[in-house]
Amino acid sequence: MVRNPADHHSEENHHAIINLMKSAADFVVYQLAYDESNPHLFKVNFVSPSITDILGILEPMRFDGWFENIHPDDRKIVENIQINAFKTGRFNAIFRIYHPKKKEIRWVHAMSTSTGSFPLRKGKRLHVMGLVIDVTNQKKAEAALLESNERFKSITETIPDLIFELDLEGRIKFCTSVIEKLLGYSFEEISEKKFQELISPNTLQVAIEGFEALITGNHIRNMRVDILRKDAEYLPCEISAGPLIISGKAVAIQGIVRDILTQKKAEKEIAESREHLKHEVVKQTRELMESEARYRGIVEGSRDLVCRLVPDGTITFTNQIWNKYFESEKEGLCGRNFFECVAEGDDVKAVERNMKSSFLNAFPSFVDRKVTLPNGSICWIRWTGHRLFTNDVSFSEYQVTGQDITKQKNDEIEKSKIELFQRRAQKLEALGTLSAGIAHDFNNILAVLLGNVQLATDDVPEGSRTRKNIDEMTKAILRARDMVKQILTFCRKGEQTLRPLSLTPFVKESAKFLRSTIPSTIELHENIQETGLVRADPTQISQVMINLGSNAAHAMGRETGILEISLETVTIDDHHEIRFRVPDEGRYVKLDVRDTGSGMTSEVISRVFDPYFTTKGEGEGSGMGLAVVHGIIEAHGGIIWANSTPGKGSVFSILFPVVNSDAIPEIQINVPVLGGAERILLVDDRENLLYVEKDLLEHLGYKVTAKTDPIDALEAFREHPHRFDLIYTDMTMPHMNGLTLSKMLIEIRPDIPIILYTGLGDLVDSDEIEKCGIRAFLKKPILLEDLASTIRKVLEHDKNQQS
């Protein structure tokens, strides 16, 4: 059978249309067939792939899925239109959907037509062809246009002037509602009227000429006409307008009408005032000339510096006080430049700029400047000035007044220094509070270390290397304890203890510490001899050494240098070279710290021990290091001074008076201790410290009940108050401190002996401890022998009291 060419052509057209629909991007083409078994009565025969992008659905062949994302507010409308489509065969709706992929609300326009008979009857076939178009951008543009129109309307309605539009024949096509307030008409009353009907005969010709200029493409500005109001009065107005050009052609006239009735009244009043002012100026000028003599007398008798100068700065007049300050006769200053008299160098231009700016202000500002007077003295002058005018009210000169504010400035500087010192003092106080808290926690750590070291001591034989290492650890812990004590002393949280001792071991120990902290480019030379005894606090001596050593290292910087420490005993008699530095002759221990650094000038040496004085850069030092050293040396009854030459280094020398006394020996580590078998209630909120203390007490033979919570300890004691022979409690604990706990325990059993211990000694004083019935007070960290002896003393004393 021969194929008909027309059929072949039709088939090609069909395939072309199908391909076109499949490649559609901005719209969806679909074909539906009536299907009673489907919930929406239709099944999808064909839909272009673009439906996935436009509607955001994943299963386009499910017709019911097309409705899942319809906006809830539009769903009922779409359902009604769909119902109506069964009657009419046509569907046409614009509605919103939620696009799950784009996560936004989109607008679509859905249209369809049906083939078949309507209304639909059972057994009839029905096909639907439709189109879905994404109209989101169109809707957004419509919304933007609506918003723009509303914004334009809002703006025009808030402008107090009348905005209008005329066609090219002069008929009124638009005006804002201001017309009712301005002329008394409503827009309906004047709409389509020609503008000439509202112009007064006196200004009609001007208005016509202006309109002719507008329709030829020109603009008019501030054209004055009189406009007829509804009450038959004429209102003077100004009109500014221009043609509305579209596609290069004028299609309308737009403009603004402004009420100038008030302005015309003001102009009339100004004209009348100007005449009156002329008479007043003549009168006041005459009075001014008459007062010139009085003015000169006032200026010459003024306590302020007064001068006049022309715009280039040349002085034309000075009063007597000015001449006195600058030690010159009147003629000697006239002709000189004012700005060069009151400023120097680069400051001249700055003063000139500031002063001239001040002259132009309605209320001139003050310009404060430091001035070096001819006699070399320095004073602060507050300058101010204004412009002077001649009889014809033209500018001629400046008049400058200067007030000596030297005392005020000095007071301000002094006040600023005091405030700075106060802020620094507050910082130091805050630092002291912080340091005290750290010291308290550090004491707890040291207590744990010391307890564990002492427990390990008994397990190691004497004379062994390990025993020696443990002994050294114990000494280091005790030294750390003393340093914490010094921190508390510095923060006013502890007491300073001076005792006779030799400085030699402490200076040597500090030298070792310095060796590990200063740069390797600096050589450390020691000349430390055995010396006589002095009354000193070893921790504070260490602090002095560290401060002086660090200061010397900073002076040498990154360059190579030598730091020399020497200690010796010297005898100062009447012929000694430094006899003038000590109040009495005798034996002194002399400590020198010498460096090969940058050195100091005599001015720096004179202030080197002042609080907050420093030559270091910002953030490198507080200026308190040497001040602290000076305070420590004075508290020890010693003397400190410095010698230096710029570029050749510095030496700090210290003298301590030798005392005739025996040295108080260092605490011995291996001292026999006494234990017991009594029952002790131990209370400490820190578990690590609690376990160490429990082990120590049990090591001494005591039976220990340990509690980390003071409330638990109180309950345990309340249940069995006679089970315990001694309470051993920490001071600082949560919920309840040791002092409060002790008071409550004594209320339950008044005869119970209590030992209170703490890492911060100023929390309670001795009087309060005694009033509360506490038998002993210890400070962390506590040596085992001190703890053992204290417990025995308390228990033996208690036994003696009972017997």
Side-chain angles (χ1 to χ4, degrees), residues 439-450:
H440 174 254
D441 290 341
F442 195 59
N443 266 337
N444 286 327
I445 296 172
L446 290 177
V448 175
L449 291 174
L450 182 60

Side-chain angles (χ1 to χ4, degrees), residues 304-309 315 318-319 321-322 325-326 338-343 347 351-352 354-356 358-359 364-373 379-386 399-405:
D304 296 334
L305 290 76
V306 181
C307 79
R308 289 184 179 179
L309 55 141
I315 297 174
T318 57
N319 67 346
I321 191 70
W322 176 288
Y325 264 72
F326 288 92
F338 166 79
F339 305 108
E340 293 177 355
C341 286
V342 302
D347 203 31
V351 172
E352 181 176 359
N354 293 341
M355 290 293 294
K356 287 187 176 180
S358 174
F359 294 153
S365 57
F366 297 107
V367 178
D368 295 349
R369 275 297 183 275
K370 187 164 57 175
V371 179
T372 303
L373 300 178
C379 66
W380 280 88
I381 304 294
R382 174 166 291 170
W383 302 105
T384 187
H386 58 276
Q399 177 167 299
V400 177
T401 301
Q403 182 182 5
D404 188 338
I405 58 168

